[in-house]
Amino acid sequence: MSATFGVTGEPSWKQNPVPTIQNTPQPPTHPSQATTRQFSRNDPVTNDGEPSAPPRHTEAGNTRPLGAVENQAAHTGLPVGVDPEPNLESALEGIPAEHVHSFTTVEQVLGIIAETQSSQNDVFCPYLAFLNTPVDGLHSFDSVQSAGIRKQYFESTHVLIIKLPSGPHETVTAGVRNCINRNAVLMGGVDRELSDIGSKTYKPTRTIYSDSCKEGDEGILPHQRRGGQGSWPTLIFETGVSEALGRLQQDARWWFEQSNHSVHAVIVSHVLCDERIIDLEIWRMQPIQHPRPATRSNTFLEPRCDHRLRIDCSTTPATTTGAVPFFIISFEALVLRPRAENETDFLLTQQDIEYIATVFRASL
């Protein structure tokens, strides 16, 4: 069966929009310049592990140079380095109307979460949204948030997004992560340079809203080259089931834009339990061309899906659509140092794919 993407019908929140929020703070006058940190094995690397030359994206059989990020103020009306948060419609992308509620109290949020978890099976969208969530409501929720629940908060629109992972959701995330960790171990101890960040909360760097935040499903941080409390991972995992693809893609864009491109790749895993299918997407910053005179450089970067792999777990062994080995991320982009002779890019082999399919079937 083919995957079903998106949600049909006119959502109720469109019929009753949230009132416009007044007194929006003004952007800072001296934001930092936007930078891009993707690079390949051919790029010079400075002592702190960051690239010292224009970035290049390299994957098996394909090398494409990336251009520099231009002044975004000409297109957004904001100073360079400051991005607006998504509007209400974009913030709720991929979430069905019946999963959208209006915040009243933290007890009400916890009650809806408990009710959803008790009735939810692995087919339904795992997201809940709460409109009109004040900042103090977010802080109150933080103090009682249960393990395993992921959240995202847009301060500009006061929208709280909750993700409720299921068994297959967690199993697929762990399966892909384990394969990457195994790759690192087989390189002779590269795993000791990497840390799993779990569902750590991150604050965006490219917005004026200090209480906005997001948690991923998993992430990998090269802790020897990025230390400190707010260090961003180089690889993020985002997983969802059934109707969640649009939401997952929105999540992938957030990591690139709001980490100021410190995140180098996002693995999006879209799980279709009834069909026993896993769709993997790798998101990276990719070049786009804006219609401007050819007399000046006008190459921008945008988050975009780089390539896909479909794993059909209804067969044994699993069948795939897409190139295998499946390229995840270059060694340099993940570990933030040049690779040695015994070190390679991070790929999913056919053996890795069969392992992921096996543990996924066992979770159903």
Side-chain angles (χ1 to χ4, degrees), residues 47-93:
N47 290 334
D48 63 357
E50 296 297 331
S52 60
R56 297 167 60 88
H57 165 170
T58 302
E59 66 178 80
N62 184 25
T63 302
R64 59 186 82 145
L66 299 184
V69 177
E70 265 197 335
N71 185 340
Q72 298 176 5
H75 299 282
T76 66
L78 292 175
V80 179
V82 176
D83 292 338
E85 290 201 316
N87 59 24
L88 181 61
E89 183 172 358
S90 296
L92 297 176
E93 182 176 344

Side-chain angles (χ1 to χ4, degrees), residues 126-145:
Y127 290 94
L128 296 169
F130 294 88
L131 310 182
N132 302 311
T133 302
V135 170
D136 59 352
L138 169 69
H139 295 163
S140 297
F141 178 75
D142 286 344
S143 66
V144 296
Q145 181 178 345

Side-chain angles (χ1 to χ4, degrees), residues 7 15 55 91 111 145 148 205 224 226 253 259 296 329 354-355:
V7 181
Q15 301 166 13
Q145 181 178 345
T205 62
Q224 293 185 1
R226 283 189 184 168
R253 295 183 187 97
S259 72
R296 59 169 292 177
I329 189 171
E354 190 54 43
Y355 161 74

Side-chain angles (χ1 to χ4, degrees), residues 38-46 51-58 332 338:
Q38 272 189 304
F39 57 104
S40 80
R41 66 179 67 92
N42 298 315
D43 293 323
V45 180
T46 61
S52 60
R56 297 167 60 88
H57 165 170
T58 302
E332 295 84 354

Side-chain angles (χ1 to χ4, degrees), residues 26 36 70 72 74 84 92 101 123 127 166 199 221 254 262 287 317 323:
Q26 294 302 311
T36 301
E70 265 197 335
Q72 298 176 5
L92 297 176
H101 308 271
V123 175
Y127 290 94
S166 62
S199 56
L221 172 73
W254 188 96
S262 292

